[in-house]
Amino acid sequence: MKTLKIFLLTLSFTALICSLGCKNKIKKLNPALASIDLKRGELLLCNTEQFGELKFSLSCNYETRVTFDLAVALLHSFQYAEAEKAFVKVLDEDPNCPMAYWGVAMSIYHAAWFPPTKEDLIKGSKILKIANDLSMDDKQRDYINAIGAFYADWEISDHKIRAKRFEKKMEQIYTKYPNDIEAAIFYTLALYSTRDRVAKGYENERKAGEILESLFTTNPNHPGIAHYIIHNYDNPVLASKGLETARRYAKIAPSSSHAQHMPSHIFTRLGIWEESIESNLLSASSSRCYTEAAALDGAYFEELHATDYLVYAYLQKGDNENAKKQYNLIKELTSFYPTNITAAIYPITAIPARLALENRNWEQAANLELREIDLKWEQFPWQKAIHHFAKGLGASHTKDFASAEYEIEILKELHQDLIALNDRTKSIQIKQVEIQIKTLQAWLNFIKNDIKKGLQLMQEAVDIERNTSKHPVTPGDVLPAIELLGDMYLEIGKNEEALLAYELNLKEHPNRLNGIYGAAIAAKKIGNHEKAFKYFENVLKLTENSNSDRPEVKEAKVFVRENNQSIQ
């Protein structure tokens, strides 16, 4: 097993050059390649560490093997731009290597993320057309045909159908070559890409996780195995199975900003906020390094993605000061790279919404303003919906009913915009906006004293949420519907129902500050002082070392101090 250690030489504040020991001279470049806009140049990798250990036996010339394996490692950590450049280095050294073309096509596909653009699909198709004319062995042909199944007929075939074709082809390779570790790993990635994105059965995720776990013991430093375990276990049912892997992944591939961030998906699921914060501080720093090295016009998306998770974690610790500090680092950003990625735009509306709503600062929520960016907001209806949801909830609670009704109508329009896209990859987004509409309608009725209608609509929102998976981009719902149902019950004195709602919420959203505090208040009101003490004590444990000014923390301190002796 060969360790891929890449040492970097800093040339200036805008460039880092990776010393790969590869020749720069392009050999016998196929004329057809000249018409394709391939990513070339020195690799911009902001660390002197490593990207994990692997050995992919299908590389071609021996002298390109280190570069090829590095490219595959980058691919496994979703460093797609740098992976493509590394594969092109192999291609330039060995234009007759089919797997170099395969690597470029895989780098464009980015199976776990957003679908490729039209330009990407054209590019991938051209690359594979050249590859298909090369001589190759059966195994290489199988790999080429597998990714080719995704690009075939892209003009007339739905993305989901083509992703399923790729999955079936990778399953055949996995079965045909049982000793090929990479075949197994890329098959699990294909399973993840075709998972049911809405329901909570997690069939593909369980199947992929079982395969990956069987490989991890004998390949403990493989970046793809660890990475895909985390993705497949990023749900409330399976998250605990991914904790050990999460704690190891960042050490396996410390040079990747995405690898630094990914463990926090599991930490967030389990409510382990300190480790989530540590993970994302490193990721955001690494991302800023990449932004400078690549001389990007806008911020690299990983910085915003990491910041969203950072703010969420700090808010659960009651640490408004650090949450705002992290937000201020990205608050003025207006352009992003790449521009079409959900994770870059989502935090722009989610973070200010969280800062207001988690603190129940309804006036602040009602007066949020949509930030101006170098993109058209009409292209991002889901992200825009979060902004209007927060404003609507704020308006209802401040009894500006006309504004609340206005925000509901906007949400309905955005919901229809998402449906009209006819994009099955947006199914979770459609459901989440539906939940937001129901929630706003519920609170508008509730605060206008139609209690029965309000509770009915809020329960409907909870039912939809219960059967809808979390979007992988977000650390969590801006406010969980079931937590808001608990708030409703608490306001009308149905304290036992409130406690049940909060406790159900904490099963899927462990260590949420508002959930724990709500459970403490509900328990106190029904006279269960032992349970109230436990939850108030948890509030204090959650917020220790945060210098929190949250009134919930002050109330918890008073209750624990006054009841400490009687409970013991």
Side-chain angles (χ1 to χ4, degrees), residues 179-375:
N179 296 321
D180 185 346
I181 294 171
E182 294 301 321
I185 296 169
F186 281 112
Y187 173 48
T188 66
L189 177 62
L191 283 169
Y192 180 75
S193 72
T194 59
R195 71 196 184 282
D196 187 332
R197 295 170 184 256
V198 176
K200 294 186 174 182
Y202 307 119
E203 293 180 11
N204 279 28
E205 292 92 330
R206 292 176 192 274
K207 184 175 183 179
E210 185 177 339
I211 294 170
L212 291 163
E213 285 185 353
S214 71
L215 297 171
F216 204 21
T217 53
T218 53
N219 300 274
N221 292 314
H222 194 293
I225 298 173
H227 189 184
Y228 304 153
I229 285 176
I230 293 173
H231 268 293
N232 281 287
Y233 290 165
D234 181 17
N235 59 70
V237 176
L238 303 174
S240 60
K241 292 167 65 68
L243 182 57
E244 180 183 352
T245 303
R247 287 174 169 155
R248 291 175 60 182
Y249 180 38
K251 296 176 182 178
I252 292 171
S255 295
S256 166
S257 59
H258 189 68
Q260 294 293 332
H261 159 74
M262 272 308 299
S264 70
H265 280 242
I266 299 298
F267 300 147
T268 298
R269 287 292 194 181
L270 300 175
I272 306 174
W273 306 121
E274 289 290 353
E275 290 186 62
S276 179
I277 288 167
E278 180 183 358
S279 174
N280 284 295
L281 286 172
L282 291 170
S283 177
S285 176
S286 178
S287 181
R288 285 190 285 271
C289 172
Y290 182 80
T291 298
E292 293 182 0
L296 300 177
D297 291 335
Y300 187 46
F301 84 94
E302 287 283 6
E303 180 182 357
L304 286 90
H305 189 44
T307 302
D308 188 26
Y309 276 70
L310 273 170
V311 169
Y312 188 81
Y314 279 126
L315 286 172
Q316 304 321 310
K317 290 175 59 63
D319 192 344
N320 286 330
E321 182 180 348
N322 273 311
K324 292 174 184 175
K325 179 181 176 181
Q326 290 300 320
Y327 178 49
N328 287 337
L329 292 176
I330 66 164
K331 190 175 181 179
E332 303 304 323
L333 297 174
T334 59
S335 57
F336 318 97
Y337 175 85
T339 58
N340 62 333
I341 188 164
T342 300
I345 311 302
Y346 178 87
I348 298 172
T349 55
I351 293 176
R354 293 188 200 285
L355 288 168
L357 297 180
E358 290 279 10
N359 282 281
R360 301 305 194 255
N361 189 332
W362 306 120
E363 186 174 346
Q364 180 182 339
N367 290 288
L368 288 172
E369 295 184 3
L370 193 62
R371 191 199 311 177
E372 292 186 9
I373 57 176
D374 295 341
L375 299 166

Side-chain angles (χ1 to χ4, degrees), residues 156-172:
I156 57 174
S157 298
D158 180 75
H159 172 84
K160 185 175 181 179
I161 292 172
R162 291 181 287 109
K164 190 67 177 179
R165 286 187 205 150
F166 176 66
E167 179 211 311
K168 291 301 181 184
K169 288 288 187 181
M170 285 310 307
E171 182 178 23
Q172 291 170 11

Side-chain angles (χ1 to χ4, degrees), residues 377-391:
W377 274 113
E378 290 72 21
Q379 299 172 343
F380 304 98
W382 177 53
Q383 293 90 329
K384 191 177 179 184
I386 295 166
H387 168 78
H388 292 286
F389 170 71
K391 285 180 69 69

Side-chain angles (χ1 to χ4, degrees), residues 132-152:
N132 276 314
D133 291 336
L134 301 175
S135 61
M136 62 188 84
D137 62 30
D138 290 345
K139 195 172 185 180
Q140 290 173 328
R141 178 68 67 185
D142 288 338
Y143 271 91
I144 293 291
N145 287 341
I147 188 58
F150 171 76
Y151 285 95

Side-chain angles (χ1 to χ4, degrees), residues 470-500:
K470 177 187 79 68
H471 194 287
V473 159
T474 170
D477 305 305
V478 176
L479 283 181
I482 194 167
E483 188 175 277
L484 288 168
L485 177 62
D487 292 350
M488 274 191 179
Y489 281 134
L490 205 60
E491 285 199 27
I492 59 174
K494 290 194 171 186
N495 301 313
E496 291 184 358
E497 291 89 341
L499 180 58
L500 176 61

